[in-house]
Amino acid sequence: QQQVKQSPQSLIVQKGGISIINCAYENTAFDYFPWYQQFPGKGPALLIAIRPDVSEKKEGRFTISFNKSAKQFSLHIMDSQPGDSATYFCAASKGTSYGKLTFGQGTILTVHP
Amino acid sequence: SQTIHQWPATLVQPVGSPLSLECTVEGTSNPNLYWYRQAAGRGLQLLFYSVGIGQISSEVPQNLSASRPQDRQFILSSKKLLLSDSGFYLCACRLGQGLGEQYFGPGTRLTVT
């Protein structure tokens, strides 16, 4: 019940295209869903996060869509750029858990110029 | 804003040797602190978390231990390293006690030979 399943494992997109990464969770107590971007050899950087009281959150080219009934959430990267090439992780936590994050396995995104 | 420092950045240690990794946080007080391990560039696993000085919770039984001697200092240790301890170790902090964002440090790459 603590798992977060992320797909696809890898994704190749052309410059200007839309990148979509999906995550699914089982634990309905999760109430905070962040996405992280990680470049090789670096620590993950918080990209965008959502709570279950909203169905969508947009920050620049990045959008989270959240479907509470389906227990799924996704990251959309619009107008994907080569500089977006990185590994993306979804995660989830619940308010009673001291902020402990459960991570998905990551998606390696490659944006071709 | 907070800044997380980790050192060393890279470390190569023989099997059976001790380990001490340090994490310090600037720009905040009384943060929640976390140690994660990332194997093979994918999947972050929570090892320890701390909500205050001297308060350590372990998530996974293993060859490692953690300590928090000061409010903004978090240390990961081992008495005798195993080959399986190799990985990328990440320190993270979360501000406040609510559903605050969690930020990661630059990481320490540990190779056990």
Side-chain angles (χ1 to χ4, degrees):
Chain A
Q1 264 210 332
Q2 287 294 97
Q3 284 188 335
V4 176
K5 296 181 180 179
Q6 183 171 346
S7 63
Q9 289 189 337
S10 62
L11 180 63
I12 298 175
V13 174
Q14 294 297 316
K15 179 182 176 181
I18 302 173
S19 304
I20 301 174
I21 304 170
N22 301 298
C23 284
Y25 63 97
E26 292 293 326
N27 191 340
T28 55
F30 285 145
D31 53 12
Y32 174 67
F33 303 90
W35 283 89
Y36 286 85
Q37 178 190 58
Q38 185 179 31
F39 294 103
K42 305 295 184 183
L46 179 63
L47 198 58
I48 187 172
I50 198 168
R51 306 196 192 286
D53 53 343
V54 297
S55 60
E56 186 175 283
K57 183 175 181 179
K58 183 177 181 179
E59 290 186 1
R61 295 185 294 110
F62 301 92
T63 300
I64 298 179
S65 296
F66 185 82
N67 186 329
K68 188 174 182 178
S69 60
K71 293 185 287 186
Q72 296 176 348
F73 58 110
S74 60
L75 176 69
H76 296 234
I77 306 175
M78 312 300 288
D79 187 25
S80 298
Q81 300 296 312
D84 296 331
S85 298
T87 301
Y88 292 81
F89 293 94
C90 64
S93 71
K94 52 185 179 181
T96 57
S97 68
Y98 303 102
K100 294 182 292 180
L101 289 171
T102 300
F103 280 85
Q105 285 303 103
T107 296
I108 300 173
L109 171 65
T110 303
V111 181
H112 285 162
Chain B
S1 62
Q2 77 290 330
T3 303
I4 303 171
H5 301 281
Q6 286 188 246
W7 61 87
T10 60
L11 190 60
V12 180
Q13 292 284 89
V15 169
S17 64
L19 173 74
S20 181
L21 303 182
E22 188 166 347
C23 169
T24 58
V25 181
E26 293 180 355
T28 185
S29 59
N30 196 31
N32 285 6
L33 296 174
Y34 310 85
W35 278 112
Y36 290 87
R37 178 169 58 200
Q38 187 175 33
R42 307 285 294 273
L44 287 84
Q45 180 186 37
L46 178 63
L47 303 175
F48 301 94
Y49 71 95
S50 171
V51 299
I53 296 173
Q55 301 179 61
I56 308 295
S57 295
S58 173
E59 287 295 294
V60 181
Q62 58 206 318
N63 187 41
L64 301 169
S65 62
S67 62
R68 185 171 177 177
Q70 300 180 41
D71 180 47
R72 289 173 289 177
Q73 183 185 31
F74 205 21
I75 297 172
L76 184 69
S77 305
S78 174
K79 292 182 179 178
K80 290 185 178 181
L81 283 168
L82 306 173
L83 285 174
S84 58
D85 292 324
S86 293
F88 193 43
Y89 287 83
L90 291 155
C91 177
C93 81
R94 190 187 72 160
L95 308 180
Q97 299 302 313
L99 291 176
E101 294 87 355
Q102 195 167 130
Y103 299 95
F104 284 81
T108 294
R109 173 74 60 192
L110 172 65
T111 303
V112 182
T113 61

